[in-house]
Amino acid sequence: MSANASERLIEATRELLWERGYVGTSPKAIQQAAGAGQGSMYHHFAGKPALALAAIRRTAEELRAAAETELGGTGPAYTRIEAYLLRERDVLRGCPVGRLTMDPDVMADAELRAPVDETLDWLRGRLAEILQEGLDSGEFSPSLDARETAAAIVATAQGGYVLARAAGSPAAFDTAVRGLLALLSPRTAH
Amino acid sequence: MSANASERLIEATRELLWERGYVGTSPKAIQQAAGAGQGSMYHHFAGKPALALAAIRRTAEELRAAAETELGGTGPAYTRIEAYLLRERDVLRGCPVGRLTMDPDVMADAELRAPVDETLDWLRGRLAEILQEGLDSGEFSPSLDARETAAAIVATAQGGYVLARAAGSPAAFDTAVRGLLALLSPRTAH
DNA sequence: GTCTATAGCAGGATAGAC
DNA sequence: GTCTATCCTGCTATAGAC
């Protein structure tokens, strides 16, 4: 947090958006967290929406990069998906992108909503590609629909955050994920 | 909306909580939607948290009753779960209970959070019972873990809302659900 | 670029009249 | 039970000095 003000403002906004959502985050709170005054904030950004847009875009990019770390491997499809779902994460904080979906002011603003949509869409597409690889190599049954299965995987992760936050325990996320992985596993006939 | 004021206030709060969340809902907005004045609201309820608690409890009860409609049937386990997941719903509005999970002020208040936790927990437990029935009757492979699978089902639904809202289309919910159902289906070997 | 002053409006609630 | 008046604080910015 010792970079320039613009940078600190974006990072502070990212944290607050993650923690409290768009509606629950005020310019004043951002300024305090960033150690910047009002003059500074309004010099660098037109207002709260503009600053949020910069923050959301960065968060979205980071999520993609993080996902690609596990998904971009060379192992079997199932193994890469498993690694992605079980990788360490701040479960109780929720998904920094997915949570924006419940923010009415974000959904109402096409510009703010676009990066959210694109990111989740990218993730679904990426998983579908990997599932297709697994299909092509005979890893999965030919009856498996890559597109629908990919959606189910992303949904399970997103819903896992919901369950974990409701229960106040990260374990609820893992339980849901393991349930899905068992259904998907080539080693588990049922 | 022609009942007494207390009733109208609770219903208005339920709508606004669903639409804008707790942080995004002001007492003034509630009063306007309910057609009640401030005096009326503060006569019936101690304040915003008390009113929200009444609203959340009612919404939670309603969700359970609605779920039991499909889950309480007599058909095969898979059929009942399928009916529950595919029943008509206001997908784009999100889950009125699950969305509260992303509301920082709800999660920070033990009283407001309890009904959310209990409802999701009940749903998971109910689904686990049904899966166990299916296990006992030989409908599913013995390798299926009822508890984990139940968590995956709830998570897929919750995440389905996230995907649908991000995409701006209810179809995204159905896609995820169908992906899960295909994995769960006794008729689909893979 | 950053600071301080100022502004109008909304949030959340209390008090007392009716 | 409901209404109006009032209160203080916070939200989201604009203006102009430094």
Side-chain angles (χ1 to χ4, degrees):
Chain A
M1 284 295 219
S2 53
N4 57 72
S6 171
E7 188 59 28
R8 293 196 321 268
L9 283 162
I10 292 177
E11 286 302 314
T13 303
R14 297 209 313 139
E15 286 299 313
L16 285 165
L17 245 33
W18 195 359
E19 194 75 19
R20 304 200 35 90
Y22 183 85
V23 170
T25 297
S26 71
K28 176 180 287 192
I30 293 170
Q31 291 151 205
Q32 284 173 345
Q38 308 204 31
S40 181
M41 174 183 146
Y42 284 101
H43 170 74
H44 291 290
F45 300 94
K48 180 178 163 177
L51 181 43
L53 182 58
I56 291 173
R57 282 188 173 148
R58 184 176 296 184
T59 295
E61 270 173 43
E62 227 175 60
L63 187 146
R64 293 192 201 198
E68 194 57 28
T69 296
E70 272 89 29
L71 297 179
T74 55
Y78 178 82
T79 306
R80 283 188 275 158
I81 291 171
E82 182 183 40
Y84 168 67
L85 288 173
L86 293 177
R87 77 139 188 259
E88 222 173 316
R89 49 181 99 202
D90 253 347
V91 169
L92 288 184
R93 300 191 76 188
C95 174
V97 172
R99 74 145 298 150
L100 297 171
T101 252
M102 296 304 152
D103 227 306
D105 291 2
V106 170
M107 290 297 101
D109 182 325
E111 254 190 329
L112 293 180
R113 178 208 194 123
V116 175
D117 184 13
E118 287 159 12
T119 302
L120 259 14
D121 207 53
W122 171 85
L123 184 56
R124 241 187 318 171
R126 192 68 185 86
L127 284 164
E129 282 174 18
I130 294 171
L131 288 165
Q132 188 58 51
E133 288 176 36
L135 239 20
D136 293 343
S137 69
E139 190 181 339
F140 300 120
S141 153
S143 69
L144 185 143
D145 182 307
R147 210 178 119 268
E148 290 183 351
T149 308
I153 293 170
V154 178
T156 299
Q158 289 296 323
Y161 287 117
V162 171
L163 295 182
R165 281 177 65 89
S169 160
F173 179 96
D174 295 326
T175 302
V177 159
R178 269 193 272 275
L180 182 79
L181 285 172
L183 292 176
L184 183 65
S185 171
R187 278 179 298 284
T188 317
H190 67 267
Chain B
M1 281 296 218
S2 55
N4 56 72
S6 171
E7 188 57 30
R8 294 198 319 270
L9 283 161
I10 293 177
E11 286 303 314
T13 304
R14 297 212 308 139
E15 286 300 312
L16 285 165
L17 245 32
W18 194 359
E19 194 73 21
R20 306 199 33 90
Y22 183 86
V23 169
T25 297
S26 70
K28 176 180 288 194
I30 293 171
Q31 291 150 205
Q32 285 174 344
Q38 310 204 28
S40 183
M41 172 180 148
Y42 284 102
H43 170 72
H44 293 290
F45 300 94
K48 179 178 165 178
L51 181 45
L53 181 57
I56 292 173
R57 282 188 174 147
R58 183 176 295 181
T59 296
E61 270 173 42
E62 230 175 58
L63 187 147
R64 292 192 203 199
E68 195 57 27
T69 296
E70 272 88 29
L71 297 179
T74 56
Y78 177 82
T79 305
R80 285 189 274 158
I81 290 171
E82 182 183 39
Y84 168 67
L85 287 174
L86 293 178
R87 76 141 187 258
E88 224 171 313
R89 49 180 99 203
D90 255 346
V91 169
L92 288 184
R93 301 189 76 188
C95 173
V97 172
R99 73 146 297 151
L100 297 171
T101 253
M102 295 303 153
D103 227 306
D105 290 3
V106 170
M107 290 297 101
D109 182 325
E111 254 190 327
L112 294 180
R113 177 207 194 124
V116 175
D117 184 13
E118 287 159 13
T119 301
L120 260 13
D121 207 53
W122 171 85
L123 184 57
R124 240 188 318 174
R126 192 70 186 84
L127 285 164
E129 281 174 21
I130 293 170
L131 288 165
Q132 187 58 51
E133 288 176 36
L135 240 20
D136 293 344
S137 71
E139 192 181 335
F140 299 120
S141 154
S143 70
L144 185 144
D145 180 308
R147 209 178 119 267
E148 289 183 351
T149 307
I153 292 170
V154 179
T156 300
Q158 290 296 324
Y161 287 116
V162 170
L163 294 183
R165 282 177 64 88
S169 162
F173 179 96
D174 295 325
T175 303
V177 159
R178 269 194 271 277
L180 183 76
L181 285 173
L183 292 177
L184 183 64
S185 171
R187 278 180 298 285
T188 317
H190 67 269

